[in-house]
Amino acid sequence: MTGHAIRYFESSSAVRIMGERLIASCLPHNEWTHEAHVAACLWLIAERPDLDAARDFPAIIRRHNDSVGTPNTDSSGFHATITHCYVAGVASFLARVDPAQPLVDKINALLDSPEGARDWPLHFYSRDRLFSVEARRAVILPDLAPLPE
């Protein structure tokens, strides 16, 4: 989970365009990377007060997956617990950064932070618990440490 080089964003507008394309279900499958997931989450929390990330991000992801032919099943597509974990982590991260900082700087800093790492959920969940069918279907409690509030 950690062997990939981080793909940083070049501009705030690139993040906003990616987020809007995600919501519109027209983001190409190959652009829906780990970094895009994390950036979309931050963008939703920071710049889309009309949406609630905890409530709305799951449906946005499921709809996107459907639009690109990724089935949302017990073994692929949307993962409820991982999404919940990142929403909590991104919100915690945003509470520590200057709100006046440009969006692209916030996102790139997040990608360099523990909360933006690919393996961040494994600080809270054992691998077996996190990758269980139960965790994919619904948010479950961590078994290693509590998530940030």
Side-chain angles (χ1 to χ4, degrees), residues 2 8 25 35 75 90 124:
T2 59
Y8 295 101
S25 298
E35 293 85 358
S75 60
V90 169
F124 309 96

Side-chain angles (χ1 to χ4, degrees), residues 85 89 119-126 129 141-148:
C85 188
D119 64 349
W120 190 70
L122 292 171
H123 294 260
F124 309 96
Y125 295 89
S126 63
R129 185 161 175 82
L141 294 174
D143 58 342
L144 301 179
L147 289 171

